Amino acid sequence: MKYRENHYVPRWYQERFLPTSGERKFRYLDLSPEQFRDPNGILRTKTALWRWGAPSCFKETDLYTVKYGQYESTDIEQFFFGKVDDEGRDAIEFFSRYGSFDDLKAPTSLDDVFHSLLTYMSVQKFRTPKGLHYLSALIREADKNRLLLDLQRLQNLHCAIWTEAVWAIASADHTQTKFIVTDHPVTVYNREVFPDSEYAKAFTDPDIRMNGTHTFFPLSPTRILILTNLSWARNPYGNGTTPRPNPKLFRSAMFNFTEIQTGRQLDEVEVNQINFIMKRRAKKFIAAAEEEWLYPERKIPTEHWRKLDDRYLLMPDPRCLYLGGEILIGYKDGRSESYDEYGRRPWQKGYQRGVERTESRTLDAFQGEFARLFGPTRRGSSYRMGGKKADVDSPDFHQYHLDLEKKHLPAGFKQRRDARCIKKGGR
């Protein structure tokens, strides 16, 4: 029956990462190859590294086939994933080429590409074997048929939280190593939730509503989208596992294209650190155009989960951030709506207030710390009224930021040379 070979990482997405010359095949690595006994009783391990094309990678037979007795249906693969993939393909191509707000052309439907990308990413996070296990634990549903139906019902589960995140598109244009593909490509990283922790084992991934959870997704071998909770970008000195403000999942949310940060060029170590996180968060398989890219642990200073974040690997540049962020919407019939930066409405607790006083101090401190770590050159820039922010701060503006850290660094923290501020007595 057609549509029974289910690629949980779509072939068209895989093909974006294949070699551009020579044989268009991956180096495909099994992270946990099976063992067997040969005819002589000797325990052996199956081949771990293969040379395969996209048709053979990241797939399972009947992963999405619904069965009721003798009746079988492949409609989910054909119609549901078919539509998500068709729309997601164009959205990923758009964002992989996105350089700045000036690049947007009138015929481009920003609403369409934005929603198509979010829906694709949200579904992609569920559709893998690891994602289905995560969904099963989340909703406490073990029956496969019901789980696949719930996947469709919950397809936009992540979208409101991601909409209100700080968006950054980083590049690996000048590095020898490029991004790999894994069997769970929408990856999350929280420095407080180790891959072998009990929480990670139970739910497979840190909750995206945790303050310190970053979500990232390679758009191409040289482009990656990184989403960071605004509360974490304003206050990275807090608890990374507490919920962000207004963590409700199913609700409306507002997005501003002008605030996407672009222009960050990753270095070789950073690309390998990101690949290492993806490898550690994968379930069983990873793939790359070059064999050496499959072993990022060989090219990074440490595999310690927390220390991967010593230089704010996935953070946007806080010097592009500001307090506030209320959005007002007016309609032709005279109605209006307003949202604060965390999606709260005027009648909700904390609207335009809540944690802002604390965030005012911590954002200042973080801007100063970032200036100390990375100098006057911004690690990404966005737009404000009047156009694109400068990529390099003037000497006076840079000194202004440096002074902020000295003045507002939270009590109990200390500077560490060439690394993020840490709690006194901490690691």
Side-chain angles (χ1 to χ4, degrees):
M1 185 189 295
K2 195 177 181 182
Y3 302 110
R4 296 187 66 164
E5 292 300 313
N6 304 139
H7 284 82
Y8 50 84
V9 180
R11 285 179 57 178
W12 60 265
Y13 177 80
Q14 295 183 47
E15 289 167 358
R16 298 179 65 85
F17 296 81
L18 287 169
T20 55
S21 61
E23 192 177 26
R24 286 180 57 79
K25 290 186 176 181
F26 283 122
R27 302 292 184 178
Y28 190 65
L29 180 63
D30 186 340
L31 299 174
S32 54
E34 296 178 6
Q35 292 187 318
F36 68 97
R37 292 193 181 276
D38 68 12
N40 297 319
I42 299 174
L43 187 64
R44 299 187 184 277
T45 302
K46 289 185 177 181
T47 301
L49 185 62
W50 301 86
R51 183 74 164 158
W52 283 352
S56 302
C57 299
F58 305 113
K59 72 170 186 175
E60 283 190 19
T61 302
D62 286 330
L63 181 62
Y64 307 132
T65 301
V66 174
K67 300 179 181 181
Y68 296 98
Q70 295 184 339
Y71 172 76
E72 296 182 348
S73 172
T74 59
D75 285 355
I76 292 176
E77 169 74 0
Q78 182 178 358
F79 298 108
F80 176 67
F81 288 121
K83 182 176 186 294
V84 169
D85 286 346
D86 286 344
E87 296 175 355
R89 181 190 295 110
D90 293 338
I92 288 173
E93 177 62 21
F94 172 85
F95 280 99
S96 71
R97 294 182 285 103
Y98 184 84
S100 73
F101 192 67
D102 281 339
D103 294 340
L104 300 179
K105 307 299 182 183
T108 302
S109 172
L110 301 185
D111 185 67
D112 287 347
V113 295
F114 173 74
H115 286 289
S116 295
L117 178 69
L118 276 188
T119 300
Y120 176 82
M121 288 177 57
S122 188
V123 170
Q124 179 64 76
K125 195 174 188 304
F126 280 148
R127 73 194 288 183
T128 67
K130 180 177 178 179
L132 289 170
H133 178 73
Y134 162 72
L135 180 60
S136 176
L138 189 68
I139 64 175
R140 300 181 182 180
E141 178 59 73
D143 182 80
K144 178 186 174 183
N145 290 348
R146 293 178 182 175
L147 190 65
L148 291 172
L149 293 175
D150 282 333
L151 186 156
Q152 298 170 76
R153 179 174 61 86
L154 301 174
Q155 61 180 284
N156 294 316
L157 181 75
H158 311 93
C159 294
I161 302 299
W162 286 342
T163 296
E164 292 166 357
V166 181
W167 286 43
I169 299 175
S171 304
D173 294 326
H174 308 308
T175 58
Q176 181 179 359
T177 304
K178 308 302 180 184
F179 299 119
I180 64 173
V181 184
T182 79
D183 59 12
H184 194 61
V186 179
T187 304
V188 297
Y189 171 79
N190 187 310
R191 68 191 302 267
E192 308 291 346
V193 183
F194 291 67
D196 295 327
S197 68
E198 289 302 316
Y199 182 95
K201 288 179 180 178
F203 293 97
T204 72
D205 273 341
D207 196 313
I208 64 169
R209 294 169 294 178
M210 291 179 177
N211 266 323
T213 298
H214 303 268
T215 303
F216 60 92
F217 177 57
L219 303 168
S220 75
T222 59
R223 295 288 186 278
I224 190 165
L225 173 64
I226 305 172
L227 310 180
T228 303
N229 286 321
L230 177 62
S231 54
W232 190 240
R234 287 179 173 180
N235 181 15
Y237 310 108
N239 188 332
T241 60
T242 57
R244 51 147 277 175
N246 194 20
K248 185 178 178 181
L249 292 168
F250 288 107
R251 55 183 172 79
S252 56
M254 303 299 296
F255 182 75
N256 188 345
F257 258 86
T258 65
E259 295 182 356
I260 299 176
Q261 292 191 18
T262 59
R264 178 183 175 186
Q265 287 290 341
L266 299 164
D267 62 30
E268 183 72 12
V269 170
E270 290 171 329
V271 172
N272 278 283
Q273 286 176 315
I274 290 172
N275 283 345
F276 174 73
I277 294 172
M278 286 196 283
K279 183 176 182 178
R280 290 288 278 120
R281 300 305 310 164
K283 181 177 177 64
K284 187 171 175 62
F285 298 107
I286 63 174
E290 301 289 339
E291 182 176 341
E292 64 179 311
W293 301 353
L294 297 172
Y295 305 98
E297 61 273 11
R298 299 172 181 174
K299 295 185 177 182
I300 59 177
T302 179
E303 297 180 26
H304 192 288
W305 199 246
R306 290 176 61 91
K307 292 181 180 179
L308 292 170
D309 193 39
D310 268 358
R311 287 178 58 83
Y312 295 109
L313 174 65
L314 300 172
M315 273 290 195
D317 195 313
R319 291 168 289 186
C320 294
L321 304 180
Y322 56 93
L323 294 177
E326 181 186 18
I327 296 177
L328 302 175
I329 307 170
Y331 298 97
K332 291 181 179 179
D333 61 4
R335 294 183 301 112
S336 64
E337 293 182 308
S338 63
Y339 300 78
D340 72 7
E341 65 269 42
Y342 291 115
R344 295 171 296 208
R345 309 302 299 278
W347 57 84
Q348 289 183 284
K349 182 179 179 181
Y351 177 74
Q352 289 190 318
R353 295 188 303 277
V355 295
E356 186 165 302
R357 183 176 300 176
T358 298
E359 288 184 349
S360 176
R361 298 192 301 269
T362 55
L363 178 57
D364 282 348
F366 188 29
Q367 289 176 339
E369 183 185 354
F370 225 74
R372 172 175 59 83
L373 290 175
F374 303 107
T377 300
R378 299 287 179 101
R379 202 164 71 163
S381 58
S382 60
Y383 270 65
R384 292 290 179 270
M385 292 184 63
K388 191 172 184 291
K389 283 284 188 181
D391 294 327
V392 182
D393 290 340
S394 67
D396 288 344
F397 199 28
H398 179 55
Q399 187 59 53
Y400 163 77
H401 282 130
L402 293 175
D403 293 339
L404 289 176
E405 182 184 24
K406 300 174 185 177
K407 183 177 180 181
H408 295 288
L409 187 65
F413 278 77
K414 65 177 181 179
Q415 292 182 2
R416 189 164 66 186
R417 183 176 178 83
D418 200 35
R420 65 181 296 164
C421 293
I422 59 170
K423 287 185 178 180
K424 294 177 182 177
R427 290 183 292 180

